[in-house]
Amino acid sequence: MMGFWWRPLGVLAGVLLVALMLWAGSGWVAALGFLAGIQAFVMLRRLWQEYRLARWLESPDEVEPPEATGTWGDIFYRLQKLQRRQHASRSELSNALEQFEHAAQAVPDAMVILNGSEQIEWCNPASRKYMGLDCERDRGQFIRYLMRQAYFLDFLDAGDYSRRLVCKSPVNRELTLSLQLVPFGESQKLLLARDITDLERVDAMRRDFIANVSHELRTPLTVVGGFVETLADAPDLPAAESRHYFNLMLDHTRRMQHLLDDLLTLSRLESDDHAFKDEPVNVPEMAQALKAEAESLSRGRHRISLRLDSDAWLKGSLQEIRSALGNLVSNAVRYTPEGGEITLAWQVRGGEGAFSVTDTGEGIAAEHIPRLTERFYRVDRSRSRETGGTGLGLAIVKHVLTRHGARLDIRSTPGKGSTFSAVFPAQRLEAAAVAPDAATPLPERSRAAG
Ligand code: ADP
């Protein structure tokens, strides 16, 4: 800032020197005239520069910034620097705001900013989807007038910022929301709404699953417990009677064993660390083994045939595919009355490999078909139990097929029979190997056929 003074002081000293010289040479009138002239010039110049400055300050973005030399040049330069700095920070601020706005618009959760009187100051597009709010239309509106549900008003009144309100969306009853209020600034609040429909569904499934497993285990456990008590209370029961009880206990124990086996299989299929094996699977050989398994389960009560229209192999997990197809075969035997026909077939159609099991059994009404692969879903609970079913077989099949990019096609006519097909995509098919040596393991488990 010291530099500011040198130039005007230098000019002043020069002017005074010239005035003194004039005084000495031409007398005081000339010196005073000179000083008056300089004064008038300085005043006029200052007036002009002040005018330019005022004009520029009035509309700095439209009018060119004034330029000058000397002290005024310095002042103009500093002002321009200030203006540039202000411009830069203003554009930085508006960039940051723009980015915030973009981010808030992209956030999948609904965000509503409320002022101290609970009027909407701003909201993002997700608030329309979840709460029916429109940022343009509803800005300045009281949130209480727009969302009048009693539970929501109670939530606002409670002002408990640690609490979350779980409720149905007022605009879409199929969505479950979790609402939260977050205070900020002087008296503002941020209302957040998150879609927790999937979480709720998973939670409900978990609860149902536990209830189902408990229910499935309770019956055989009660039966076995009852027989054990009977046998303990009457140790002298005739041998035939006690053998009957032991056989029943064995049946129920096997039932529990099957249930636990299926539960473990499902849990292994679901766990991420369960490595997926991609090995060659000799389907024609497996089909022969499955036919033998069907015959053993049927014990001569059904006519069983196998149609091998292709010698193609599959790529995938031998054990999983074996278990899935085994479940389809076991179901066909269990749900087909005596004298019925069961046909296993392996064919390649339209580039896809289809292993199908057709039976002339009881069939399934159309409304049940989409739900058959749900855990514990059964059309006829007692028929399933009588035949050793756990209600988990088709859930396992669906899991295995999904892991192989395959699908389960179910066609059925009540009273006539059903066809369950596991359809594998072309990329899972492999040409038959020249010397197949991968032995198909024996049946993993056999359910008792009814
Ligand atoms: P379950 O152990 O009860 O057989 P699954 O998951 O294997 O359980 O099958 C689910 C339900 O689908 C069965 O309870 C049965 O009602 C029906 N189902 C499965 N396969 C057949 C079939 N081949 N014929 C008729 N109904 C079947």
Side-chain angles (χ1 to χ4, degrees):
M1 234 12 233
M2 268 316 282
F4 176 85
W5 293 106
W6 290 123
R7 202 199 314 244
L9 287 178
V11 172
L12 194 62
V15 168
L16 286 177
L17 194 70
V18 173
L20 279 176
M21 279 161 54
L22 275 175
W23 194 354
S26 316
W28 64 270
V29 178
L32 273 183
F34 171 71
L35 283 177
I38 290 290
Q39 177 71 13
F41 170 74
V42 168
M43 270 178 60
L44 280 175
R45 186 163 181 265
R46 197 169 126 192
L47 211 61
W48 168 237
Q49 302 294 28
E50 281 173 1
Y51 163 73
R52 288 173 76 196
L53 180 63
R55 212 163 58 118
W56 178 59
L57 288 179
E58 207 169 65
S59 40
D61 292 331
E62 287 155 32
V63 177
E64 282 288 302
E67 274 178 30
T69 52
T71 315
W72 280 103
D74 240 26
I75 293 172
F76 289 156
Y77 171 72
R78 279 161 209 262
L79 278 171
Q80 275 173 44
K81 225 163 100 176
L82 267 179
Q83 191 211 16
R84 272 199 295 269
R85 214 178 296 155
Q86 197 192 7
H87 258 301
S89 63
R90 205 191 308 155
S91 82
E92 249 172 51
L93 196 68
S94 76
N95 274 351
L97 262 177
E98 209 171 295
Q99 280 193 11
F100 167 77
E101 183 130 2
H102 281 157
Q105 296 210 349
V107 169
D109 298 345
M111 297 166 72
V112 186
I113 294 181
L114 302 174
N115 65 14
S117 320
E118 294 174 349
Q119 284 165 297
I120 298 175
E121 283 191 347
W122 176 89
C123 57
N124 70 347
S127 1
R128 175 194 279 269
K129 187 170 149 205
Y130 296 152
M131 298 191 270
L133 301 177
D134 181 319
C135 199
E136 296 305 317
R137 187 194 60 202
D138 299 330
R139 200 184 295 253
Q141 296 279 349
F142 290 95
I143 187 92
R144 284 171 187 270
Y145 293 159
L146 300 174
M147 290 181 63
R148 294 156 177 262
Q149 295 77 5
Y151 56 80
F152 180 70
L153 300 180
D154 288 347
F155 175 65
L156 277 184
D157 290 337
D160 178 355
Y161 299 123
S162 61
R163 188 182 142 210
R164 282 164 200 260
L165 172 72
V166 174
C167 58
K168 290 282 168 205
S169 154
V171 280
N172 181 354
R173 303 295 300 163
E174 291 190 353
L175 294 182
T176 307
L177 302 179
S178 161
L179 301 188
Q180 195 185 1
L181 273 174
V182 184
F184 74 100
E186 292 251 311
S187 56
Q188 285 160 297
K189 285 176 212 153
L190 183 62
L191 174 64
L192 295 170
R194 168 167 295 179
D195 177 10
I196 55 160
T197 316
D198 286 345
L199 276 178
E200 281 281 295
R201 202 175 292 141
V202 170
D203 206 38
M205 270 168 67
R206 188 184 55 81
R207 283 195 303 266
D208 284 357
F209 184 69
I210 293 174
N212 274 321
V213 172
S214 317
H215 182 75
E216 294 291 328
L217 284 173
R218 199 173 48 205
T219 317
L221 263 179
T222 313
V223 173
V224 172
F227 288 146
V228 170
E229 256 176 47
T230 312
L231 289 168
D233 289 348
D236 303 327
L237 270 186
E241 205 175 326
S242 52
R243 195 172 323 114
H244 172 68
Y245 285 145
F246 278 122
N247 281 340
L248 285 172
M249 276 158 57
L250 196 63
D251 272 357
H252 284 278
T253 314
R254 281 205 186 112
R255 206 168 119 187
M256 287 189 279
Q257 185 68 48
H258 286 162
L259 180 65
L260 291 177
D261 286 347
D262 280 357
L263 284 172
L264 284 175
T265 307
L266 261 183
S267 120
R268 239 182 299 124
L269 286 170
E270 278 177 349
S271 67
D272 284 337
D273 52 9
H274 177 54
F276 183 80
K277 281 205 211 127
D278 227 351
E279 52 198 336
V281 179
N282 182 343
V283 183
E285 195 177 277
M286 189 183 277
Q288 299 282 4
L290 287 167
K291 182 178 174 242
E293 181 180 331
E295 280 161 351
S296 133
L297 285 172
S298 156
R299 281 183 265 132
R301 289 172 302 125
H302 308 96
R303 267 172 295 140
I304 298 171
S305 55
L306 169 64
R307 240 181 54 214
L308 278 177
D309 292 345
S310 165
D311 59 358
W313 287 29
L314 280 173
K315 262 186 304 194
S317 159
L318 179 95
Q319 199 206 350
E320 289 182 16
I321 294 178
R322 178 71 182 72
S323 144
L325 303 185
N327 266 307
L328 298 184
V329 169
S330 146
N331 281 353
V333 175
R334 290 165 48 236
Y335 296 108
T336 304
E338 194 162 350
E341 242 177 79
I342 295 168
T343 312
L344 316 188
W346 171 234
Q347 51 202 164
V348 173
R349 41 182 201 218
E352 297 178 314
F355 185 93
S356 49
V357 182
T358 303
D359 63 53
T360 55
E362 53 202 60
I364 308 154
E367 73 264 23
H368 296 293
I369 290 181
R371 301 198 57 190
L372 291 184
T373 54
E374 286 174 24
R375 291 156 189 210
F376 297 113
Y377 188 85
R378 289 137 154 160
V379 178
D380 179 345
R381 204 162 269 274
S382 57
R383 171 107 184 96
S384 157
R385 290 224 181 92
E386 267 166 36
T387 58
T390 60
L392 293 173
L394 290 180
I396 292 175
V397 173
K398 166 104 182 280
H399 249 292
V400 169
L401 295 186
T402 307
R403 279 160 68 83
H404 285 79
R407 64 176 195 276
L408 178 66
D409 272 355
I410 306 173
R411 285 172 200 193
S412 190
T413 313
K416 290 216 160 125
S418 323
T419 298
F420 284 73
S421 308
V423 185
F424 294 85
Q427 60 269 31
R428 286 257 155 230
L429 290 176
E430 266 196 347
V434 183
D437 56 4
T440 307
L442 282 170
E444 254 187 358
R445 94 169 201 229
S446 335
R447 287 160 158 177

